[in-house]
Amino acid sequence: MLQQYMTAPVNGGLQNHLAEPIRVGVLGFGGLGQAACRVLAPKREMRWVAAADQKGYAYNPDGLNADACIAVYQSQGTLGYLGREGTLSSDSIRELIEQARQVDGYFLALPNLPNTFMASVAEEFIRSGWQGVLVDAIKRTSAVEQILALSEDLKAAGITYLTGCGATPGLLTAAAALAAQSYSEIHCVKITFGVGIANWEAYRATIREDIAHLPGYTVEKARAMSDAEVEALLDQTHGLLTLENMEHADDIMLELAGICDRDRVTVGGVVDTRNPKKPLSTNVQITGRTFEGKVSTHTFTLGDETSMAANVCGPAFGYLKAGITLHHRGVYGVLTAAEVMPQFVR
């Protein structure tokens, strides 16, 4: 299916030469899914052709219009009402996979609620016989472990799956893996994030996943909360969610990459659900000892002007492009953002 993606030496290296754009699907059409289609709209190397939400899906091999899709979803609650391109469905993911056989790769912009949901989606792709590239931005260590457990099945199915490819885990994990090269020993990796969202309802599922990290909450409890209960909690905290020592997959990803043991990785941050401005700068600090015996810290800080959506979707599609190259070379199974360098998508 991916024969149109050829590789040729360029200045001693390899570069993708795309005979036609990579055909991309987006599963999930909440705040993150809608941002993803906007990120894709100006790309020449990718064409957004498919999307699914809870109640329906849309597919057009010639490309979907982001403005039209968002307008229909926001007014009617599902892409299923998108004229000839939309289909109402109570089993939208499975039906889209079956109908859109020519999609080369999917970004799984789905809430991992319950914590087994993303693994169940991967299993749906395995059963379907579809071959291509899957990229997720899931956050919990236990969720990534479930994807890793499917590696042999994904390999046998001819699927290249890149996991933990958002901002954190993802962009910051990759930065930590790169910065670690300065050291003979890594003492600790500390990731601190700040997220600003003007209206939490645009990212309901993401906020529930964050609430699940608060003391006294679980994934199941956060998932079961009504919108009114979430709103009441946010009223109590003045719209701020302060998260510490999170179960975050940066730890297992850096451990698998041989950077450091997972207990040396800590993740935390602040989410402001009522203000688009970040409450603090997002950064990763990598502290280690050099071969000369000196202890130092590298710090990689994201610009405050880049939104959560930009820092998740951009890397996700960079990893998807890298995954296409790997898939063309016959590399199947599961890889993480700490093992693969994303490729810039023009």
Side-chain angles (χ1 to χ4, degrees):
M1 182 170 72
L2 301 172
Q3 292 304 309
Q4 69 266 40
Y5 307 112
M6 306 301 294
T7 57
V10 178
N11 297 326
L14 287 172
Q15 177 177 328
N16 278 340
H17 288 269
L18 306 182
E20 60 181 77
I22 298 166
R23 294 159 297 194
V24 178
V26 175
L27 298 188
F29 209 66
L32 192 60
Q34 292 174 42
C37 76
R38 291 216 181 274
V39 168
L40 283 173
K43 300 295 186 184
R44 302 190 306 275
E45 294 181 319
M46 290 186 172
R47 179 186 299 149
W48 179 48
V49 300
D53 57 55
Q54 283 186 325
K55 300 176 183 178
Y57 62 90
Y59 175 58
N60 183 343
D62 295 323
L64 293 168
N65 181 279
D67 291 335
C69 288
I70 291 172
V72 166
Y73 182 85
Q74 292 183 350
S75 64
Q76 301 191 62
T78 176
L79 293 167
Y81 289 109
L82 189 69
R84 290 178 297 177
E85 299 166 322
T87 302
L88 293 171
S89 172
S90 60
D91 196 4
S92 57
I93 292 177
R94 183 189 62 79
E95 289 187 19
L96 178 60
I97 298 170
E98 293 295 333
Q99 293 295 322
R101 303 302 291 184
Q102 297 305 309
V103 175
D104 303 309
Y106 283 91
F107 172 36
L108 310 184
L110 296 161
N112 193 41
L113 297 170
N115 196 43
T116 57
F117 182 63
M118 203 69 75
S120 70
V121 172
E123 290 172 334
E124 191 73 65
F125 276 97
I126 291 169
R127 287 191 294 268
S128 74
W130 175 87
Q131 294 185 332
V133 178
L134 301 176
V135 173
D136 73 40
I138 54 177
K139 296 179 283 191
R140 281 186 175 268
T141 302
S142 53
V144 168
E145 287 175 331
Q146 292 171 42
I147 298 299
L148 290 167
L150 294 173
S151 186
E152 290 303 316
D153 292 338
L154 289 160
K155 186 182 298 184
I159 296 173
T160 305
Y161 192 118
L162 281 74
T163 188
C165 296
T168 173
L171 177 59
L172 296 183
T173 327
L178 183 61
Q181 309 310 313
S182 296
Y183 304 115
S184 299
E185 178 188 9
I186 302 301
H187 292 169
C188 64
V189 176
K190 181 180 180 181
I191 294 174
T192 304
F193 61 82
V195 174
I197 300 173
N199 178 4
W200 81 269
E201 292 183 341
Y203 289 88
R204 296 170 190 256
T206 299
I207 296 304
R208 281 185 169 82
E209 286 190 73
D210 288 334
I211 289 173
H213 288 280
L214 293 172
Y217 287 84
T218 64
V219 174
E220 292 74 20
K221 184 176 180 179
R223 182 191 181 203
M225 292 175 70
S226 67
D227 286 354
E229 289 172 326
V230 172
E231 194 70 58
L233 172 63
L234 296 178
D235 283 341
Q236 294 173 18
T237 64
H238 305 289
L240 298 177
L241 297 176
T242 301
L243 309 167
E244 299 177 348
N245 296 319
M246 300 172 70
E247 182 203 333
H248 232 254
D250 303 87
D251 58 6
I252 188 173
M253 290 162 59
L254 289 170
E255 183 175 82
L256 287 172
I259 305 301
C260 62
D261 293 339
R262 68 178 71 186
D263 60 5
R264 298 190 180 191
V265 181
T266 58
V267 181
V270 178
V271 180
D272 189 340
T273 64
R274 297 177 178 174
N275 190 334
K277 183 179 179 180
K278 293 181 181 180
L280 50 87
S281 295
T282 296
N283 67 87
V284 56
Q285 295 180 316
I286 307 94
T287 300
R289 177 177 55 81
T290 69
F291 77 95
E292 301 103 335
K294 296 180 179 180
V295 175
S296 182
T297 299
H298 285 325
T299 302
F300 176 71
T301 304
L302 302 185
D304 288 342
E305 295 75 18
T306 57
S307 66
M308 178 268 289
N311 292 328
V312 172
C313 297
F317 292 124
Y319 280 109
L320 196 154
K321 182 179 176 182
I324 291 290
T325 300
L326 293 169
H327 192 278
H328 179 66
R329 295 174 179 173
V331 179
Y332 309 140
V334 180
L335 296 163
T336 77
E339 301 172 276
V340 179
M341 181 68 72
Q343 298 179 12
F344 186 74
V345 182
R346 292 172 294 178

